Amino acid sequence: MSKFFITTPIYYVNALPHLGTFYSTVVADALARHHRARFGKESTFFLTGLDEHGVKIERIAREKGIDPKTYCDGVAAEFKRIWARAGISFDRFIRTTDPDHLVAVHEMWRRMVARGDIYTADYDGLYCVGCEDWKTEDEVITENGEKICPIHRRPVERVREKNYFFRLSRYADQLLEWYETGAVRPESRRNEVAEFVRRGLRDISVSRMTVKWGIPVPDDPQHVIYVWIDALTNYLTALGGPGAVEAGHDNGAFWSASHHLIAKDILRFHAVYWPAILWSAGLPPPKHVFCHGYLTVKGQKISKSIPATRVDPSAIGDELGIDPLRYFVLREYTLGGDGDFTYEALFQRYESDLGNDLGNLLNRTVSMAHRYFGGTVHQVQAVGTLEEARGATALLRQAEGAWDDFSPSRALETTWQLVRSFNGYIESKKPWAMAKDENRKYELETMLANCCEALRWAALMVAPAMPAASKEILRQLGRSVDEGTWPTEWRWPGSTLTEPQPIFPRFEPDKQAALINKWMPAEAPAAEAPKPAAEPAAAPTEITLDDFAKIDLRVAKVIACERVPKADKLLKLTLDVGSEQRTVVSGIATAYSPEQMVGRAVIYLANLKPAKIRGVLSQGMILAAGDADVLGLSTLDRDVAPGTKVR
């Protein structure tokens, strides 16, 4: 089997792990665990770590009165502690302050120079410290006379200095050809970066003179290498550096099977800058860049500055165990789209999927083994020929395909079909009736062996998501020897089961409420009550069903989005409406950035008369809540095909 190299973003050391970083890392960990179980430990390399350089870290350390490396050491220790608690099975935890990383970055720089892609020029432009990225005038918004980054909602800085530049513009055609291979997923993100490239690429500044905390430019230490060249090179450092990943070298096979799992706010760096940098250095691009969406809390993007969006995975793990939270984020959200987190939904999954389905099947099976056979269920030869075995094998193949397709939610749903089917199997076979007839003892043991085998398979299939729970299920089945493997043949090998113990204890509603209150951060102060209007607003005019029938509302998917030039409140959206694509201009730019919109499903008013807005033809309208200010967008509680009529 070919190698599998999976990477998370390397997280910036300005904050400790939160729900968003937990999500990215758990997804990558689950994918790595699945691949190891099926193809062996040597086939898989899982990389995560920290991005420790840049002006933001330099300033944070200065404010704390310590040197940057001391600050980074403290954050790195906390990340490792938290990831150990979360069961993250990385093969390397990389830090951009590691000595071998400096060597790799210098080699990349020299290769780019040798290619003729690095030159010097004067830079005069805008820089966002939060993004660690240069901004054009079109990429910022103006508020109260200040130019603001729409992602971090903070003023950008004007930078004037002599820098080194990278000839990014040289690689536009090559990037578009690469996108055609399907290397960037999902399709909406591929369309987004393709549109960015088609609009024209400009060369980018790749050094700073006013920043000192970083890797110096070889032979010119007055300059520090742009933090994104530094950060992205970590993927090569972990495999031994640029030379080690070339075809025929030590880790060339791993690099040819490289999968970068990222969030959509860093898509451009990974799907535009990084392939071009690699080509410049004489190296192939990654095999695959998969961009997932944001997890929000009550519809708000997770942010240090918004207390209500803080969700502490460790605090939840202290009460529920970390595996239920791992399962929840993998099962609840479709990888590639956005998702909203609520504690209530977490408990619903905990009770239904984990307690009532998996936990119930384990408890019933182990209890019956002790009640009817003294705890020992022997190998039963006929177990592999049953219809149940064929059904389980079909589900196993579906789950494997879903994991291979980067679809953890679908893989787990398939696994739960197996679990639920065997809860039904017990009801249909009525073992309590079999136990009353001595002549049906072999039939009873065969049935119980099938239940044990179903649980063994379920434990192995769920292990990528819930390694601790999987281990405990196998222990109770007396099959700890199977840990870390993958199901192959349906044949219960026989064992003596332990006494049953609940692995997902029930939480009564009052206990759930108490835990939610404990986990919930203090909310921001309530806003002042609005002053009453001078006169009450007139009631809306009533309409008839015939009037309503004239309105054509459809589900639409945003496949591209950009700001309308010189219009702070307007976004231009390209919508997939099923049979065609349409363009809509919407006044939602103060509440949503283009990056937040791409991939969203929205409700679209399809038969509104087209109109030109700021020179752009708008072919309809998307629905949003709010009057003077946009408070939220219309949405759906499940995936629905674009073009579906709303009624």
Side-chain angles (χ1 to χ4, degrees), residues 618-633:
S618 183
Q619 301 167 293
M621 176 189 295
I622 63 171
L623 304 191
D627 187 4
D629 297 317
V630 175
L631 303 178
L633 288 173

Side-chain angles (χ1 to χ4, degrees), residues 4-36:
F4 182 73
F5 179 38
I6 182 71
T7 72
T8 72
I10 52 171
Y11 303 114
Y12 212 37
V13 291
N14 65 321
L16 293 176
H18 51 65
L19 185 65
T21 49
F22 177 87
Y23 177 53
S24 297
T25 312
V26 166
V27 170
D29 180 71
L31 292 166
R33 286 177 180 274
H34 164 255
H35 203 273
R36 288 192 200 107

